[in-house]
Amino acid sequence: MGLSEDPDLQPVLFGLFLCMYLVTVLGNLLIILAISSDSHLHTPMYFFLSNLSWSDICSTSTTVPKMLMNIQTHSRAISYVGCLTQMSTFTIFVCMDYMILTVMAYDRFVAICHPLHYLVMMNPRLCGFLILVSFLFSLLDSQIVILMILKITNFKSVEISSFFCDPSQLLNLSCSDTFSNNIVQYILGAVYGLFPISGIFFSYYKIVSSILRIPSSGGKYKAFSTCGSHLAVVGLFLGTGFGVYLESAASHSPRKSAVASVVYTVVTPMLNPFIYSLRNRDIKGALRRLHSRRV
């Protein structure tokens, strides 16, 4: 459906989204490059951060380039196979983001609540296993959504109320067997929504309890500063996600729902590198050293 029918606005939208996409890709690539090139950052926390940055690049790359091409060609059509492919890859990487943020909350919990056992508990084998499990869970979520979409038969010449093949919009096209679709969506919401967010809240409950027991204010600040960036990214991710959901549920304007989804799918991945680079002293130091090496 796109974001606007106004032809005069199309060049503005093209320039805006091209800039946002380039900032997202370059910003996250810089984070990955800084972490991989600095041996001081070869720790579990930054291993997870580099995977989060890679997932952000992939999730944005599934939607924005196609939208830019649509603006240039003045065509918003997408094939059946292309729509399923875009929806599948988008679901994988957005779910991957969520899973990695949950794993990062557990990492911060171990680092602050069990500092003496941190390197033993968060060993490289476990870190790799957690990323693999996150990917497999995301893949499973994507395949379940695909199976639900494949049951929809009225897929010819339909208009999707978004700027990409949004799974939530596609599921609304179903006119038959909506009860079973709703049941599956509730189960997916519980497994992929409630459990991870419960894990994040539990981890931070334990973290805050441990920080409050630290006697000095300097120690409290130092402990909290190690998870401040992660907390900001979690708040941004969940806040925009719930905001888009509420906007879609409350608004009867498809165009407003499409605009709201931009914040969730494009703006959030773009802001993540800024949050980590501005709030994290280690990342800032690694970027400075990387720059001085190139100069």
Side-chain angles (χ1 to χ4, degrees):
M1 185 173 173
L3 299 175
S4 174
E5 297 285 351
D6 188 354
D8 296 331
L9 202 57
Q10 300 309 307
V12 177
L13 289 174
F14 181 85
L16 177 64
F17 278 90
L18 178 61
C19 290
M20 292 171 71
Y21 178 65
L22 291 177
V23 168
T24 301
V25 173
L26 293 176
N28 282 289
L29 280 177
L30 269 177
I31 295 288
I32 295 171
L33 188 59
I35 291 171
S36 61
S37 63
D38 195 322
S39 59
H40 296 95
L41 300 184
H42 293 174
T43 62
M45 180 175 77
Y46 294 110
F47 171 73
F48 295 133
L49 176 57
S50 61
N51 278 277
L52 179 68
S53 294
W54 177 248
S55 181
D56 282 339
I57 292 172
C58 293
S59 66
T60 309
S61 298
T62 60
T63 57
V64 178
K66 172 61 179 171
M67 187 184 70
L68 295 175
M69 189 181 75
N70 290 348
I71 293 174
Q72 281 294 92
T73 58
H74 306 288
S75 170
R76 294 176 185 153
I78 185 170
S79 67
Y80 179 77
V81 174
C83 186
L84 291 181
T85 304
Q86 185 185 63
M87 184 199 64
S88 176
T89 52
F90 175 77
T91 304
I92 288 173
F93 291 116
V94 168
C95 188
M96 187 82 174
D97 268 8
Y98 194 22
M99 293 295 167
I100 292 175
L101 287 173
T102 307
V103 169
M104 291 174 78
Y106 173 71
D107 172 73
R108 292 299 82 208
F109 159 71
V110 175
I112 293 174
C113 299
H114 305 282
L116 298 178
H117 302 96
Y118 176 65
L119 293 178
V120 176
M121 294 175 69
M122 299 302 295
N123 57 75
R125 183 178 296 179
L126 177 63
C127 293
F129 175 74
L130 290 173
I131 291 296
L132 177 62
V133 169
S134 298
F135 174 75
L136 291 177
F137 267 96
S138 303
L139 183 63
L140 177 62
D141 180 35
S142 170
Q143 295 310 301
I144 292 173
V145 173
I146 283 285
L147 290 175
M148 293 169 64
I149 297 295
L150 289 175
K151 292 167 61 180
I152 301 172
T153 54
N154 57 331
F155 231 151
K156 190 175 180 180
S157 301
V158 296
E159 188 176 73
I160 302 168
S161 302
S162 186
F163 69 96
F164 70 105
C165 289
D166 190 339
S168 61
Q169 297 294 336
L170 289 170
L171 288 171
N172 290 337
L173 298 175
S174 178
C175 299
S176 61
D177 201 18
T178 55
F179 177 75
S180 62
N181 274 356
N182 289 337
I183 292 297
V184 174
Q185 287 185 67
Y186 290 144
I187 294 172
L188 288 177
V191 173
Y192 289 93
L194 187 60
F195 289 160
I197 201 171
S198 298
I200 292 172
F201 283 146
F202 177 77
S203 296
Y204 274 101
Y205 165 73
K206 289 292 188 180
I207 288 170
V208 171
S209 300
S210 295
I211 290 176
L212 291 177
R213 288 197 294 268
I214 298 175
S216 66
S217 57
K220 289 178 181 178
Y221 174 78
K222 185 178 179 181
F224 186 73
S225 64
T226 62
C227 55
S229 299
H230 174 259
L231 196 58
V233 171
V234 168
L236 182 66
F237 185 85
L238 294 179
T240 53
F242 283 123
V244 169
Y245 174 78
L246 293 174
E247 174 65 28
S248 301
S251 175
H252 298 290
S253 169
R255 193 75 64 182
K256 285 184 179 179
S257 299
V259 172
S261 65
V262 170
V263 179
Y264 181 63
T265 57
V266 183
V267 177
T268 300
M270 181 184 70
L271 292 180
N272 285 352
F274 291 101
I275 293 173
Y276 272 101
S277 59
L278 293 176
R279 292 184 57 89
N280 191 297
R281 201 174 297 171
D282 294 334
I283 291 290
K284 284 192 285 188
L287 289 172
R288 278 195 297 268
R289 286 190 290 273
L290 185 65
H291 175 70
S292 62
R293 244 181 268 153
R294 294 292 179 269
V295 173

